[in-house]
Amino acid sequence: MKKVTAFVGTARKQHTYYAVRRFLDGLKSLGDVEYEIVGLTDYRVDLCRGCKNCFRKGEEFCPLKDDRDVLIEKMITSDGVVFATPNYSYQVSGLMKVFLDRLGFVFHRPRFFGKTFTSIVAQGIYGGSKIVKYLDFVGMGLGFNVVKGSCTTALDPMSEKEREKIDSIVAGHSKRFRAGLFQPQYPVPSLFKLFGFRAARTSMRVMLDETSRDFTYYRDKGWFEADYFYPTHLGLLKKATGGLVDSITASMTSNREC
Ligand SMILES: Cc1cc2nc3c(=O)[nH]c(=O)nc-3n(C[C@H](O)[C@H](O)[C@H](O)COP(=O)(O)O)c2cc1C
């Protein structure tokens, strides 16, 4: 049984919720999936103050006492995660953005490997596909395996034609996500992801020290010596490219003071 949790960033139970429910019911109807919908309005998610304690010292030093860890625990105990938001002013809703900022330290210290992520955006007219791209990038930064998200369009009230189109988009998305959910959890990374890992870990190794939480996190995970975030088999090209990225990053970061 796979558990899927959808985090929904809207105060209104309308079009975003409609798409999310259709998506999740589609997943469940094929069996072996259970789901939970987490409305972010039902939780306390405070505005990040920008102190960067989480980056430098660790997330437990955050001065905010909100439901951040409850929400993160829901991600940890899920196999699949969905971030869903309306398009507000060509971006995610403020509520969703405040939630993403609370996860800021996870971009430094990614952790959701082996889990599948996707995004759902509901809009009135235009701009949502860029938000899907943004959220999918966020999912990758958090460590998830990402299945391309979807954007649905409807005005108020939703017409029958709009509903049919949304149902069709969401049904296809749900099938794609299901396939991702049941695929091998630890795929060989793309060159792009490998590049990101090697550049990040080498610059941290050269520029930071034991006083930094990012450094100790990477060190304790064995990431300074690893091929990638998780055990994987790199072919010759990727091995060579990874080594090259390590060398170039090391030389660029150690020359920074000159
Ligand atoms: C503050 C605000 C800003 C919005 N900005 C956009 C926008 O830039 N582009 C767009 O297509 N729709 C925009 N909309 C429309 C919503 O995306 C649309 O109504 C969506 O269905 C809302 O989701 P909901 O039904 O789940 O609340 C905006 C709505 C609000 C309230």
Side-chain angles (χ1 to χ4, degrees):
M1 181 66 77
K2 301 273 188 186
K3 166 91 192 278
V4 177
T5 306
F7 296 83
V8 189
T10 174
R12 227 171 66 120
K13 289 208 163 80
Q14 294 288 330
H15 302 321
T16 313
Y17 268 90
Y18 177 79
V20 166
R21 283 207 192 91
R22 294 289 299 193
F23 175 90
L24 294 170
D25 285 338
L27 273 183
K28 197 177 167 192
S29 68
L30 295 170
D32 297 324
V33 172
E34 59 181 13
Y35 70 73
E36 180 182 358
I37 298 180
V38 174
L40 292 176
T41 45
D42 294 334
Y43 292 82
R44 189 169 158 194
V45 188
D46 290 344
L47 274 179
C48 173
R49 295 185 198 155
C51 67
K52 298 190 193 166
N53 277 355
C54 60
F55 294 162
R56 293 195 202 106
K57 299 201 302 191
E59 57 271 31
E60 63 275 30
F61 293 94
C62 176
L64 302 179
K65 302 293 167 232
D66 62 3
D67 289 328
R68 178 195 70 182
D69 292 346
V70 176
L71 294 166
I72 289 177
E73 187 58 27
K74 286 183 182 292
M75 287 192 241
I76 292 170
T77 55
S78 299
D79 304 290
V81 166
V82 182
F83 285 179
T85 180
N87 172 352
Y88 278 0
S89 314
Y90 308 112
Q91 246 305 342
V92 297
S93 64
L95 182 59
M96 176 56 74
K97 185 59 169 59
V98 171
F99 172 57
L100 297 182
D101 291 348
R102 299 295 288 120
L103 303 176
F105 67 93
V106 185
F107 297 105
H108 284 224
R109 306 188 287 274
R111 57 201 61 195
F112 298 115
F113 305 109
K115 299 177 188 295
T116 310
F117 173 94
T118 199
S119 61
I120 293 176
V121 175
Q123 69 178 357
I125 299 172
Y126 174 78
S129 50
K130 283 197 179 143
I131 305 172
V132 168
K133 272 196 189 145
Y134 165 67
L135 279 178
D136 288 352
F137 188 74
V138 161
M140 187 181 73
L142 297 172
F144 290 102
N145 300 324
V146 176
V147 171
K148 190 171 183 282
S150 67
C151 174
T152 63
T153 305
L155 294 170
D156 286 325
M158 191 189 283
S159 70
E160 201 44 47
K161 206 169 159 207
E162 284 170 336
R163 187 183 300 276
E164 279 168 17
K165 186 152 186 218
I166 288 169
D167 288 354
S168 153
I169 289 170
V170 170
H173 183 193
S174 188
K175 272 193 197 134
R176 284 202 315 277
F177 186 78
R178 192 183 164 83
L181 201 57
F182 287 94
Q183 255 170 20
Q185 290 173 287
Y186 297 95
V188 176
S190 63
L191 267 177
F192 179 73
K193 285 183 172 180
L194 183 67
F195 190 103
F197 169 73
R198 294 297 183 91
R201 73 102 180 263
T202 302
S203 52
M204 279 186 202
R205 183 173 57 74
V206 174
M207 295 170 68
L208 304 178
D209 60 27
E210 293 187 349
T211 59
S212 153
R213 184 60 170 272
D214 289 347
F215 182 94
T216 56
Y217 189 88
Y218 269 64
R219 182 199 61 195
D220 296 350
K221 295 267 178 206
W223 286 349
F224 289 142
E225 297 82 32
D227 278 342
Y228 190 59
F229 287 117
Y230 49 75
T232 187
H233 183 75
L234 299 179
L236 276 179
L237 173 70
K238 284 184 178 163
K239 260 196 194 329
T241 311
L244 195 64
V245 176
D246 282 332
S247 311
I248 294 171
T249 310
S251 110
M252 282 171 65
T253 44
S254 49
N255 288 339
R256 256 176 113 238
E257 287 107 315
C258 303

